[in-house]
Amino acid sequence: MTGQPVKRSFAGASLDYLGARYVGAGPEACSYTTQAIEIPMTDGVKLAADYYAPELPDNQKSAGLIMIQCCYGRGSGISFINARIFAARGYQALFVSTRGTYGSEGTFDPGSNEQSDSQDIVAWMRQQPWYPGSFATLGASYLGYSQWALLHDPPADCVAAVIPVGPHDQAWHAWGTGSFRLDRASWSDLMSKCDEEKGSFLSRLANIPGLSFLRSSELEEAVAGLPLEASLQKYFGDKAPWLFEYLKHPNVDDDYWTPRRHHIALQRANIPILLISGWYDTFTTQTMHQFKHLRGRGVNVNLVVGPWTHVQGSGLYSMPEILDFLSEHVAKTEDARSNREVGVPHARQARIFITGSQEWRSMPTWPPDTRPKTLYLQENNGIGPGPPVLDTSPASFVFDPLNPTPSIGGNQMSSGGRVDDSAYAKRSDVLAFTSEPLSEDLEILGIPSVRLIHTSDPPFADLFIRLSEVDTHGVSHNITEIYQVLDPSRDTSKPLNLDLQDCAHRFRVGTRMRLIVAGGSFPMYARSLGTDEDRLRSDKTTPQKHTITIAGGVSQLVLPTTSAV
């Protein structure tokens, strides 16, 4: 069933105008109409969609067609950033609700149907009288995942893609560290209520106090309960069945994850792609992997990374780049707005925000050429350029699963970001190795790494490592981090090598570096219980004593510094 085209209302035009000013989109080119549509899938399911058509003179063609797949509804807030803003600038837009959400038939099973459904949508588009012969894709987060699912088998008429903060591999996010990522529970809570609650996804999200990691005190209690799986089952009941499938499949190579992993898209995609991320996004590692892989294949890929969280990186602060990219690769016009403050992406270029110096910088690729600078863990929780003497005592702490080290900022889904994490240095279950004030600026661009001689008793343990900066007032702020479940059978006489997440930061004169080492980050990750039992299905816990050998400089922090430093 297809509805009649509806002209934009005065209220809609006012919202579009105010929203465009907020995101820096520049002036509109036209008004538009919206038409409700049902799109048939090959299995008989019908997906609900809205088709946006720009109102243009008879002799003027549209700037191109943009296809968006979304599981968060098609209300005014989310349709503005994904469809209406482009329709008002001459683009057609097809905004489709994911199977099982917001009017679309079928059952929502995250990641399992996007590959086939997206191909069906494309086949249906080609039969429509308004189809211009080619299209681009767009959308952030899960909408970006849907694009990677389509690019698993790239259609010949797909000419470009805009993918902000979008993962290509659901298994990597859920289980890539070896521990379950607990934001899957809060996200599942939101998605399980998409049909029973009034209002759009964005309006419901806005009602969560402070956009906190957990939706409610009840969910907070469920995540804290042991055994974890049973506690979550009591909270969810028969809702969000996919969450419990996630819990059943901790092996990322399990067949369950195969349709939810799209690494092959990185091998097959050969169209211009704009990737957008934030240093504090929950999917930063995947976006950086996407860029490096595509760049290595010679694909025309652009990268923009700002000082953003997941929500901020979804397009709110990068709309000028998105419009310029579409203008160049979809509309193929010459009116790129090159005088934008943050600049215009060009082929195979990275546009990177350097924290610390608070500046944007363009570079031909990422990471740039750097040279390693090795710092050594010192006695008395210091860190510096010279290795300590051979009789330096080891450093240790105890992680208690019943009082786990808290998650503070960082790459969390909604409550992360750059924060004051000074509290870590005051905790007895954290080691905070801090340098002396720097005598000159030190800039790092790329992936810092740590090399530790580390043991734990018992051997069933995790490590959370963070690099932070302590300012001249003694306040610490996070830069980059890593979480990893340790192999209990590893040879602890050999160094444990861990790469942190990509970062770009300039430590200013007078600031200090701080390396934070802990045994957990909760509720970001399911905590280690310290036993050989399943951390999801056991309520038995044992405190874990972590010991790091410092003597002789065997435990190190290696920084990727610029050649100018």
Side-chain angles (χ1 to χ4, degrees):
M1 181 179 297
T2 300
Q4 294 298 313
V6 177
K7 289 182 175 292
R8 179 174 60 166
S9 66
F10 175 78
S14 299
L15 179 62
D16 289 350
Y17 172 77
L18 294 173
R21 290 195 62 180
Y22 179 79
V23 299
E28 292 187 352
C30 59
S31 188
Y32 57 83
T33 61
T34 308
Q35 184 177 14
I37 288 175
E38 289 184 340
I39 303 175
M41 301 290 99
T42 54
D43 64 355
V45 165
K46 294 178 180 178
L47 303 186
D50 294 322
Y51 168 62
Y52 291 80
E55 293 186 310
L56 300 168
D58 292 339
N59 62 349
Q60 184 178 342
K61 294 182 179 179
S62 74
L65 172 65
I66 301 171
M67 169 182 154
I68 310 101
Q69 300 176 75
C70 180
C71 63
Y72 302 130
R74 305 187 312 283
S76 57
I78 200 161
S79 66
F80 165 74
I81 201 72
N82 287 291
R84 300 202 326 264
I85 195 170
F86 305 108
R89 284 152 186 82
Y91 292 91
Q92 301 162 264
L94 182 66
F95 194 29
V96 186
S97 279
T98 302
R99 176 183 292 246
T101 69
Y102 295 92
S104 286
E105 298 174 352
T107 300
F108 180 59
D109 184 13
S112 63
N113 296 296
E114 280 71 16
Q115 185 179 339
S116 58
D117 283 355
S118 61
Q119 296 291 340
D120 286 351
I121 295 168
V122 171
W124 176 87
M125 282 196 310
R126 292 171 179 152
Q127 304 302 315
Q128 305 313 305
W130 42 259
Y131 185 63
S134 64
F135 69 100
T137 60
L138 181 143
S141 193
Y142 195 93
L143 289 68
Y145 169 80
S146 298
Q147 294 180 72
W148 289 118
L150 173 66
L151 293 174
H152 191 107
D153 296 295
D157 43 352
C158 181
V159 296
V162 177
I163 309 179
V165 296
H168 60 278
D169 186 339
Q170 291 196 10
W172 187 356
H173 182 67
W175 283 104
T177 65
S179 181
F180 187 65
R181 181 103 179 199
L182 286 169
D183 60 15
R184 298 301 80 199
S186 55
W187 181 81
S188 295
D189 191 37
L190 285 170
M191 293 307 303
S192 71
K193 296 177 170 62
C194 67
D195 288 329
E196 71 181 47
E197 296 188 11
K198 296 182 179 179
S200 70
F201 176 85
L202 289 184
S203 66
R204 290 188 285 112
L205 193 64
N207 288 330
I208 303 174
L211 286 177
S212 60
F213 169 75
L214 297 173
R215 178 175 169 82
S216 65
S217 58
E218 291 82 5
L219 180 56
E220 183 177 0
E221 292 175 1
V223 167
L226 293 176
L228 176 60
E229 184 181 52
S231 184
L232 290 173
Q233 189 71 66
K234 181 179 179 181
Y235 174 83
F236 280 96
D238 60 357
K239 297 176 181 178
W242 62 83
L243 174 63
F244 299 95
E245 290 300 315
Y246 292 171
L247 297 178
K248 290 177 184 177
H249 298 92
N251 184 349
V252 297
D253 294 321
D254 192 288
D255 288 344
Y256 169 80
W257 293 110
T258 300
R260 298 165 175 83
R261 310 186 75 188
H262 299 289
H263 290 267
I264 198 167
L266 305 182
Q267 296 283 0
R268 294 176 174 175
N270 197 28
I271 57 175
I273 296 177
L274 173 59
L275 300 174
I276 301 171
S277 187
W279 293 127
Y280 312 107
D281 174 37
T282 189
F283 299 118
T284 305
T285 299
Q286 291 204 38
T287 299
M288 306 309 272
H289 175 82
Q290 293 157 13
F291 177 78
K292 293 169 189 174
H293 196 95
L294 293 170
R295 178 71 173 86
R297 290 181 49 230
V299 174
N300 181 355
V301 57
N302 303 291
L303 174 68
V304 177
V305 187
W308 304 321
T309 61
H310 184 68
V311 173
Q312 293 167 340
S314 296
L316 294 178
Y317 298 111
S318 49
M319 188 54 66
E321 283 96 341
I322 293 173
L323 289 169
D324 288 332
F325 179 86
L326 293 174
S327 177
E328 179 180 358
H329 297 292
V330 181
K332 295 180 172 61
T333 63
E334 300 298 329
D335 60 347
R337 291 167 286 277
S338 59
N339 60 343
R340 298 283 186 188
E341 180 181 353
V342 293
V344 179
H346 298 290
R348 303 179 187 175
Q349 182 188 55
R351 185 76 174 168
I352 303 296
F353 187 85
I354 314 297
T355 57
S357 59
Q358 307 301 104
E359 62 176 306
W360 285 97
R361 192 178 304 169
S362 295
M363 50 191 74
T365 189
W366 176 266
D369 291 334
T370 58
R371 58 189 176 95
K373 181 180 180 65
T374 301
L375 302 174
Y376 301 89
L377 276 57
Q378 309 280 348
E379 61 182 345
N380 299 321
N381 288 346
I383 189 168
V389 297
L390 290 175
D391 61 351
T392 303
S393 300
S396 64
F397 66 91
V398 175
F399 173 79
D400 182 358
L402 297 180
N403 182 27
T405 314
S407 304
I408 304 176
N411 298 92
Q412 299 185 64
M413 180 66 77
S414 58
S415 58
R418 179 182 182 272
V419 300
D420 178 352
D421 63 3
S422 305
Y424 277 138
K426 301 175 183 178
R427 293 183 61 94
S428 61
D429 59 353
V430 172
L431 292 174
F433 298 94
T434 307
S435 74
E436 295 296 322
L438 298 179
S439 59
E440 60 181 2
D441 285 4
L442 177 67
E443 185 174 87
I444 59 174
L445 301 175
I447 300 177
S449 62
V450 292
R451 176 185 174 95
L452 302 176
I453 296 295
H454 168 276
T455 62
S456 64
D457 183 21
F460 309 100
D462 302 352
L463 272 181
F464 171 69
I465 299 177
R466 170 178 286 181
L467 178 63
S468 294
E469 177 189 74
V470 182
D471 65 22
T472 55
H473 301 289
V475 179
S476 175
H477 291 90
N478 52 304
I479 298 171
T480 182
E481 61 195 43
I482 183 68
Y483 193 96
Q484 185 62 52
V485 173
L486 302 179
D487 180 356
S489 63
R490 65 188 175 91
D491 184 351
T492 56
S493 67
K494 296 181 179 179
L496 176 67
N497 296 299
L498 294 173
D499 289 338
L500 280 68
Q501 182 176 280
D502 291 76
C503 65
H505 184 79
R506 178 175 281 267
F507 291 92
R508 291 296 197 183
V509 171
T511 63
R512 292 177 289 163
M513 288 175 285
R514 174 170 287 169
L515 188 69
I516 294 166
V517 182
S521 178
F522 182 83
M524 195 169 177
Y525 295 98
R527 73 200 109 163
S528 168
L529 302 182
T531 74
D532 61 354
E533 297 187 10
D534 190 329
R535 69 178 65 202
L536 302 182
R537 299 171 182 91
S538 175
D539 59 359
K540 297 179 181 178
T541 65
T542 300
Q544 303 131 50
K545 183 177 181 180
H546 293 251
T547 302
I548 296 176
T549 300
I550 294 174
V554 294
S555 293
Q556 308 163 1
L557 167 66
V558 182
L559 300 174
T561 62
T562 57
S563 57
V565 178

